[in-house]
Amino acid sequence: MRPRRLFTQLTLSFLAVAVLGVAAATWISTRIWRHFLLTQTNADLEAQARFLAHIARERWSRPENLDDLCKKVGRATGVRLTLVAADGRVLGDSLRDPAAMENHADRREIQEAVRGRVGVHARLSPTVGLPMTYVAVPITEDGRTIGVARAALPATAMKAPVRQVYLQVLVGALIILGLAAGLSLWLSRRLTRPLEEIRRGAERLGRGNLSLKLPTPEVEELVSLADALNSMAEQLNERITTIQEQRREQEAILASMVEGVLAVDPRGRLLSFNRAAAALLNLAPEMVGRNITEVVRNPDLQWFVTRALAATEPVEGEVTVREDEEERILQAHGTTLRDSRQVVLGVLIVLHDITRLRRLEIARRDFVANVSHELKTPVTSIKGFVETLLEGALQDPQHAEEFLKIISRQVERLHQIIEDLLSLSRIEQEAEQGRIILHGRRLGPVLRAALQACSDRARDKEITLELSCPEDLRARLNDTLLEQALVNLIDNAIKYSGPQSRVQIEAAKEDGWVAVRVRDQGIGIPKEHLPRLFERFYRVDPGRSRKAGGTGLGLAIVKHIAQAHGGKVTVESTPGQGSVFTLLLQPD
Ligand code: ADP
């Protein structure tokens, strides 16, 4: 059954009660009124019969006048009056001729009156042909009934006053019903309004507006309902706040993780991911819900997800992603994702960027290979000449000296490589352990010392070394290391310049740095070599470098020294015109 509004139900119930009440009251009151009117009419008829009896008794001795009396009095009162002798003969009648009327001895009211009582009877009058009410009283003389006086009224005479009464009662009932309807509406509204307020409040709570409180209703029974709803909303609010806080915490933890984390459902659709995963795999929030194969077109990852979804144990693998020509190597861990009831939700994938680690590994491997390669050439050469000497060349003094000179050069070369390697590893170690102490010093003396150290080699090639440095220019520096870096740079400038050229060393303050420039007019470096120039053992022209006694480590040492100074080294070069190496240091 369709539920009806409480307001309608209450109003209808009140109205039904009112209608029933008014109907009952109307029915009862009309009955009472009818009865009252009948009794009154009978009493009136009796009074008129008695009046007639009184007058008739005085004139009883002349019965011929009695009919006339009836007619006169009947005309005056508007009531039918009849006088009947004790034996039933009609002596007078206000409406008819008594001679033409039959004997009335059988009429019930007459029989009663003859017995000395008041006779009342209502019936159809054979004389008049209408329903009549008769009231008959005895006419007595000396205790003896000598006749009967009867008054009668047609029943229709009663109709008008009864209808009048009915009409008034009906009007009254209608007015009361109207008032009752108004009262029902008012009462129903008064009763349902607090319920309506609670309903609206509950709807607001349902829409999630949990901070709003329901007003306390005026109806006692509803106060506890409103209280219960309010406390329920408060508890819900608290729980939701707690859940939201937990969620925010979890999100913050996930967001601040360096590792990329993503969850995939059993059908391979992306459930969620953190910021790091978004950056690594180029994911956007709107991709949640889509299949991982659609959003990340990476065969490694797709294969890994398939493997992780199929596995029951945690799986591990490597995923290579490429972005803007740059390759990133990610170590992936996949674990089955289950909820608190152990239902499988999918798989959780954690991605760890191991590109740097891998590069370091490769660099270390390359370094070992390079060192071995660098050492192999002089050692092979030494080995060969020593064997030649031992096999007899020692006996030939001219060759022996020549061979020994070569061995000595190769030993010197080995020594240089080992010196540079040791120097590099020392700088690296000390920088890592924070053991390189920087002091605020004047730059001039360090530059002059470096210049001095290279002056012999410059003189050999007739190269002019020029220095320009403000005397008061200061920087935070470690003089031994800085001198070593500058010697390397100046030495290179001399090595890779033709004879009789110029090498300029300039120092100046620049953009918050102290810049030291070593400028030469040498062979220059082709552009494609510049990015890798500071790597260990990197040479533009290995043969030329070796011939010039280079180890390929000089610029790597310069780079590490610059970093240990909190600065950096850069290079600009034009092949055939010369190079400029700039060392940037922190000012004092
Ligand atoms: P090397 O011992 O071979 O000089 P470095 O590390 O000092 O090693 O330099 C690496 C390479 O950079 C050199 O082999 C050379 O090709 C190039 N290079 C360095 N300085 C200069 C320069 N001033 N002019 C031209 N090429 C240079």
Side-chain angles (χ1 to χ4, degrees), residues 3-15 185 188-189 192:
R4 274 193 304 184
R5 287 184 62 198
L6 180 66
F7 174 76
T8 320
Q9 289 192 28
L10 275 178
T11 312
L12 287 179
S13 309
F14 285 145
L15 263 181
L185 282 173
S188 307
R189 190 161 301 286
T192 51

Side-chain angles (χ1 to χ4, degrees), residues 265-473:
D265 78 1
R267 289 162 66 187
R269 285 175 307 197
L270 203 54
L271 289 173
S272 73
F273 53 83
N274 73 348
R275 214 182 292 158
L280 287 171
L281 302 175
N282 241 338
L283 298 173
E286 60 273 13
M287 291 175 181
V288 169
R290 286 175 56 194
N291 204 294
I292 188 97
T293 49
E294 273 175 52
V295 294
V296 188
R297 299 203 177 276
N298 182 307
D300 284 357
L301 186 77
Q302 290 174 6
W303 169 235
F304 183 77
V305 171
T306 315
R307 219 153 50 87
L309 283 172
T312 46
E313 295 288 310
V315 288
E316 257 188 63
E318 254 183 41
V319 174
T320 309
V321 289
R322 214 175 299 272
E323 193 190 339
D324 306 334
E325 297 298 307
E326 207 191 335
E327 200 177 69
R328 302 216 140 267
I329 301 160
L330 311 176
Q331 193 175 39
H333 290 264
T335 332
T336 310
L337 196 63
R338 294 174 198 274
D339 69 3
S340 53
R341 286 164 294 158
Q342 295 301 308
V343 176
V344 175
L345 299 178
V347 67
L348 184 78
I349 295 165
V350 179
L351 299 169
H352 195 205
D353 188 351
I354 53 162
T355 318
R356 220 173 79 86
L357 214 69
R358 229 351 102 74
R359 275 194 198 140
L360 278 177
E361 268 173 30
I362 294 167
R364 194 162 296 146
R365 223 168 37 217
D366 289 354
F367 179 66
V368 172
N370 285 337
V371 170
S372 318
H373 183 73
E374 288 297 326
L375 296 179
K376 197 171 175 246
T377 323
V379 169
T380 315
S381 162
I382 291 168
K383 192 174 168 250
F385 284 110
V386 169
E387 279 169 5
T388 317
L389 282 173
L390 287 176
E391 279 163 13
L394 208 53
Q395 315 308 324
D396 176 353
Q398 201 190 331
H399 278 107
E401 192 185 342
E402 195 187 323
F403 290 169
L404 282 173
K405 272 186 190 156
I406 296 174
I407 290 173
S408 163
R409 266 208 310 278
Q410 295 298 352
V411 168
E412 177 54 32
R413 187 167 155 68
L414 271 180
H415 174 74
Q416 197 53 50
I417 293 173
I418 291 165
E419 272 299 301
D420 277 359
L421 280 173
L422 283 175
S423 169
L424 197 59
S425 86
R426 204 170 40 240
I427 296 165
E428 254 184 333
Q429 248 177 27
E430 286 179 2
E432 250 171 43
Q433 292 164 359
R435 283 197 285 125
I436 295 177
I437 318 261
L438 302 178
H439 300 281
R441 293 263 163 90
R442 282 196 303 126
L443 201 58
V446 188
L447 296 185
R448 275 194 291 275
L451 224 74
Q452 185 62 41
C454 299
S455 58
D456 283 354
R457 284 189 289 276
R459 206 176 307 119
D460 290 348
K461 282 181 89 171
E462 292 174 48
I463 288 174
T464 329
L465 298 180
E466 292 173 8
L467 173 66
S468 125
C469 170
E471 244 342 278
D472 57 346
L473 187 61

